[in-house]
Amino acid sequence: MFLQHSLLPAFYRLGCFLHPRINSKLVVFADAHHTAIPFSMVRMKRDIEALGYQVVCHLHDYSRGGMIKGLFYSLVFMLLYAKARYVFICDNFLPAAACKKRKETQLIQLWHSCGLLKRMGYDTTEDIPPFYKGNVYGNYDLVTVSAPCCIPFLTSGMRQQPGIVQAVGVSRTDMYFDNAWRQECQTEFDRTYPQAKGKRILLWAPTFRGNAASPSLCGLGEIQTLGQKLGEEWFLLIKVHPHLDTIALLQKGEPISNCSLQTERLLPVTDLLITDYSSVLFDFLLLERPFVLFAPDLEEYEADRGFYIDYRTLTPFLTTEEGTLYQTVLWAYAAWKNGTYLQNLRGLKNFHCSACDGKATKRILKLIEMEGDMHGTFL
């Protein structure tokens, strides 16, 4: 709290003193969880670079390297923040909320989660420590979401003023409409896993329980049993949240995931997805392929965190009991193959991701008045 409310604002003021005017060509992409550009920013960064802006990536995993490095990265960001015209983030990024920013600087939150599912932010007790003072989501000029249904709930969860959260689509979802990128994902997968050729690809991609500092997993044993039951016709991929793999590496010397490829690059090659409360479900909906919800701790999760919607209405292929997952997977895949599941999938997609149509990035650029700034009309 001391650093957040004293030292970081002081460095921001120093940056404003050193740069009395912002750099109208400077765009900063900032993230505290990655050392490479996150998938949620890839398309936006590419299109902004094509417009001729000066792009600076401030990407550091603040959980590694200790507090001193984290403080150093934060101070460097504040100096960039003070002179930038646009700053893009895609997750919680506390330094951006540490000061009262210049009005000339636009802070755009490319929120990484599509759809409407589990409670988040200030609508739950699990995301933000009670001792935190101020708004974790402060200073936002725009929060982009996947559909109108998300607006009131993210406005509440992020404590935003009306009009900040807008259903213009989620930039990263444009990638799923890019045939060349999808083929690239398929080629990469085939090269990495030649033993999967001719098999149906099944992906288990759960979220973590608790918070990022102390994450836990539920259902791994049942998934491993499922893999044995499915036999040679299926190829099972396990891809858990990075927080869980990090903890497993520290404790056991190896990750839980059995696949090194990024989750988003696995979705285009996946025939059926199993998840629980992860928003990866909504990305997968854009591909109109079947999914199964496996939530053995549903009652507990519902009581602790809670949902914005009735979780049990998402799909008829929901199981919470041990021993039923194998049959549920077979039923879901068969229903998709014969076409009876497709209407359900499209209904969900239209409700949760209606603004994700392959043109979200262009709409966002138009909304924040970046298109045409330097190279004529962007659209």
Side-chain angles (χ1 to χ4, degrees):
M1 288 298 94
F2 170 74
L3 298 176
Q4 183 82 359
H5 294 293
S6 58
L7 190 55
L8 297 189
F11 259 69
Y12 183 80
R13 291 192 292 270
L14 173 63
C16 292
F17 175 77
L18 295 174
H19 304 281
R21 295 183 179 180
I22 64 167
N23 181 346
S24 62
K25 298 181 181 180
L26 178 60
V27 181
V28 177
F29 287 85
D31 188 81
H33 308 283
H34 300 84
T35 56
I37 192 76
F39 182 61
S40 294
M41 294 177 168
V42 169
R43 179 55 66 95
M44 182 63 71
K45 176 177 177 289
R46 188 202 71 178
D47 285 5
I48 288 176
E49 286 175 334
L51 286 172
Y53 282 87
Q54 176 190 349
V55 172
V56 174
C57 291
H58 181 83
L59 309 170
H60 305 281
D61 186 346
Y62 281 43
S63 67
R64 301 182 181 183
M67 189 179 73
I68 300 300
K69 274 193 174 182
L71 174 60
F72 173 75
Y73 296 146
S74 296
L75 296 177
V76 170
F77 170 78
M78 299 311 287
L79 298 179
L80 284 170
Y81 197 16
K83 62 180 180 178
R85 176 68 179 92
Y86 298 95
V87 176
F88 289 87
I89 58 178
C90 62
D91 205 335
N92 294 351
F93 189 74
L94 296 183
C99 62
K100 184 177 180 181
K101 71 173 178 65
R102 286 172 155 171
K103 292 183 178 179
E104 300 95 332
T105 298
Q106 286 197 51
L107 177 61
I108 297 97
Q109 172 62 269
L110 302 174
W111 190 242
H112 59 278
S113 173
C114 294
L116 205 56
L117 193 54
K118 59 191 176 187
R119 293 184 181 275
M120 57 77 65
Y122 289 98
D123 287 345
T124 178
T125 59
E126 295 198 359
D127 284 353
I128 301 168
F131 61 78
Y132 186 87
K133 305 301 180 184
N135 185 357
V136 170
Y137 310 103
N139 280 330
Y140 293 171
D141 293 290
L142 174 66
V143 179
T144 63
V145 295
S146 60
C149 67
C150 303
I151 293 176
F153 299 100
L154 265 76
T155 296
S156 171
M158 293 183 173
R159 291 184 177 173
Q160 296 298 306
Q161 293 297 315
I164 298 297
V165 182
Q166 297 201 34
V168 288
V170 174
S171 175
R172 75 156 189 274
T173 62
D174 289 355
M175 302 294 280
Y176 297 113
F177 296 86
D178 185 333
N179 290 331
W181 178 80
R182 289 170 63 169
Q183 183 57 53
E184 179 184 303
C185 294
Q186 183 69 60
T187 301
E188 180 184 34
F189 181 82
D190 292 341
R191 182 176 61 249
T192 307
Y193 299 101
Q195 67 271 35
K197 185 176 181 179
K199 298 182 180 182
R200 298 166 188 160
I201 308 304
L202 174 64
L203 172 64
W204 181 48
T207 189
F208 63 90
R209 276 65 167 169
N211 55 52
S214 181
S216 60
L217 181 63
C218 182
L220 177 59
E222 186 73 6
I223 292 295
Q224 292 170 335
T225 300
L226 171 67
Q228 296 170 359
K229 287 183 177 180
L230 287 172
E232 292 299 316
E233 292 184 5
W234 291 81
F235 189 75
L236 173 63
L237 298 171
I238 296 175
K239 192 68 177 179
V240 302
H241 195 281
H243 292 328
L244 293 163
D245 275 336
T246 299
I247 296 296
L249 278 168
L250 291 173
Q251 294 178 347
K252 301 179 180 180
E254 60 181 11
I256 299 170
S257 299
N258 66 359
C259 176
S260 60
L261 301 181
Q262 295 175 320
T263 303
E264 57 271 8
R265 297 183 70 85
L266 293 174
L267 296 186
V269 307
T270 296
D271 294 298
L272 187 143
L273 171 72
I274 302 175
T275 189
D276 44 20
Y277 320 115
S278 172
S279 63
V280 69
L281 159 67
F282 302 111
D283 284 40
F284 197 62
L285 277 176
L286 298 174
L287 303 174
E288 296 186 352
R289 295 176 188 168
F291 69 92
V292 167
L293 294 178
F294 173 49
D297 62 340
L298 177 55
E299 291 187 4
E300 178 184 351
Y301 195 90
E302 195 168 30
D304 290 344
R305 177 179 281 269
F307 300 99
Y308 287 122
I309 59 171
D310 185 349
Y311 181 81
R312 293 169 176 80
T313 65
L314 279 169
T315 177
F317 304 108
L318 161 66
T319 179
T320 61
E321 300 177 7
E322 292 186 2
T324 60
L325 183 57
Y326 170 72
Q327 193 60 57
T328 305
V329 166
L330 297 185
W331 284 338
Y333 188 73
W336 178 75
K337 288 289 286 185
N338 65 31
T340 57
Y341 191 18
L342 192 56
Q343 185 175 355
N344 176 274
L345 292 174
R346 287 177 175 170
L348 285 173
K349 183 181 75 169
N350 291 337
F351 181 74
H352 291 278
C353 300
S354 59
C356 297
D357 56 1
K359 302 175 183 178
T361 304
K362 290 183 178 181
R363 278 195 296 273
I364 296 166
L365 291 172
K366 183 177 182 181
L367 185 63
I368 63 177
E369 300 179 343
M370 284 188 76
E371 91 292 355
D373 275 3
M374 303 181 71
H375 293 295
T377 302
F378 182 77
L379 298 180

